[in-house]
Amino acid sequence: MQQVVHDPDRMRALVNEARAAGQRVGFVPTMGALHAGHTSLVAQAARECDRVAVSIFVNPMQFGPQEDFSRYPRTLAADTALLAAHDVDWIYAPEVSDVYPPGDATRIVVGGPAVLFEGERRPGHFDGVATVVCKLFLAVPADTAYFGAKDWQQTLVVKRLVCDLGLPIRIIVCPTMREPDGLAMSSRNAYLSVADRPRAVGLSKSLHRAAGLWSAGADTATIEQAMRETLSAHGVVVDYAALADPESLEPVPDDAARAVALVAGRLGSTRLIDNMELPARVTPQRDTKR
Ligand code: AMP
């Protein structure tokens, strides 16, 4: 029987009890408005663990003052109904005041992979992510936590956090689930107008274009320009379109063997992100004799 748990102490006790009985616990943190991307994480957790906890918490600290915190979809009843069809033992749905008690004044600040891209465009976002993830891991002291590659930079930030604080939890990154036309599933896709929805395919198209050029040995500037062109051609207002080192997110040299392509753009008032890890390539020797 699936249980909805609001109290962090109760949640922690349930997980500790299961682990003391020798069960492996998997944890999927979410902000709700669940879709097949989320349930793919749940399915992987259920395959690999004996018990599964899913948290549903719209974390105010990771939204900027001009962002969509107040309009972010909150659909706990529908989410609970959806999870009933999956192997989920506990839905952890704390109140804001449970996560941030009155007078709350503690933040976790991550540098390194948190600095560029989303970190530049959304000041404080990853501090909010790191802080809530740490608090969620304290309330749900699972063996393993599952995150989506959809939020590539977030996975790096969480891995950095876990490593730096020595948190006793294993992080697994799961593949991005997509709509039939290639659009990465996202709770924010619900914001798209009927006219903008088909344009949103520009994000994944730009990543495929990058992958083709990358495999053909193109240099970074050419690939980034092509990504921007593809986004613009679909009416997506480009926020960034770049290749980066898959672990550090630092810029990649033209002869790099590994990279992730990252895009962010706007359609109307909806901001979407996507990424693709590019296949490792052997770069051609450049002719330096001329
Ligand atoms: P969110 O509710 O947007 O905070 O997402 C919760 C978790 O689901 C995060 O680890 C996301 O990366 C992951 N996620 C969101 N969308 C997808 C997707 N399309 N495919 C796989 N994982 C996803």
Side-chain angles (χ1 to χ4, degrees):
M1 247 293 275
Q2 212 159 69
Q3 229 179 316
V4 179
V5 182
H6 299 287
D7 177 48
D9 294 331
R10 170 94 185 115
M11 187 68 247
R12 189 179 313 110
L14 287 165
V15 173
N16 282 336
E17 202 178 300
R19 291 190 67 185
Q23 297 183 318
R24 282 164 309 161
V25 176
F27 176 35
V28 181
T30 82
M31 297 206 299
L34 300 181
H35 50 66
H38 297 113
T39 55
S40 73
L41 271 54
V42 171
Q44 186 160 344
R47 280 196 300 276
E48 297 178 359
C49 303
D50 303 303
R51 311 296 291 274
V52 175
V54 176
S55 65
I56 296 180
F57 180 65
V58 184
N59 173 34
M61 203 194 281
Q62 71 188 68
F63 289 79
Q66 308 303 323
E67 294 183 1
D68 55 342
F69 174 68
S70 55
R71 75 162 172 154
Y72 198 86
R74 288 159 173 85
T75 57
L76 184 60
D79 292 345
T80 308
L82 178 65
L83 291 177
H86 291 79
D87 287 329
V88 173
D89 296 277
W90 307 294
I91 298 171
Y92 176 48
E95 296 295 330
V96 172
S97 58
D98 289 324
V99 179
Y100 300 106
D104 153 75
T106 304
R107 298 285 176 276
I108 294 179
V109 178
V110 185
V115 173
L116 299 172
F117 300 107
E118 294 302 292
E120 263 177 343
R121 273 79 181 180
R122 305 182 65 188
H125 169 67
F126 285 124
D127 297 349
V129 169
T131 303
V132 82
V133 165
C134 194
K135 286 167 180 265
L136 290 170
F137 286 175
L138 287 168
V140 187
D143 294 85
T144 310
Y146 296 82
F147 289 84
K150 158 75 172 47
D151 299 285
W152 185 268
Q153 190 171 10
Q154 175 172 275
T155 67
L156 300 178
V157 171
V158 169
K159 286 185 200 166
R160 192 70 259 166
L161 166 79
V162 165
C163 177
D164 291 349
L165 297 189
L167 302 179
I169 193 161
R170 197 163 62 109
I171 304 300
I172 302 286
V173 178
C174 309
T176 301
M177 294 294 120
R178 297 179 178 279
E179 301 290 353
D181 69 350
L183 175 65
M185 290 179 180
S186 164
S187 307
R188 290 190 167 99
N189 292 349
Y191 299 154
L192 290 167
S193 69
V194 174
D196 283 339
R197 171 61 188 85
R199 297 181 184 128
V201 75
L203 281 93
S204 62
K205 284 253 166 75
S206 73
L207 297 172
H208 283 289
R209 180 123 187 251
L213 288 166
W214 164 264
S215 298
D219 60 52
T220 303
T222 303
I223 297 172
E224 292 179 345
Q225 179 60 27
M227 285 198 284
R228 280 193 293 272
E229 280 169 14
T230 305
L231 289 164
S232 301
H234 285 81
V236 180
V237 179
V238 184
D239 209 340
Y240 56 77
L243 298 191
D245 180 273
E247 264 85 49
S248 68
L249 295 190
E250 294 291 328
V252 285
D254 284 337
D255 61 355
R258 297 187 61 220
V260 60
L262 301 158
V263 291
R266 282 169 207 279
L267 283 160
S269 59
T270 307
R271 183 173 184 278
L272 298 176
I273 62 172
D274 200 355
N275 69 80
M276 184 185 285
E277 191 175 16
L278 302 175
R281 68 175 180 181
V282 180
T283 47
Q285 291 293 314
R286 288 181 194 284
D287 184 359
T288 52
K289 286 190 202 125
R290 273 180 287 161

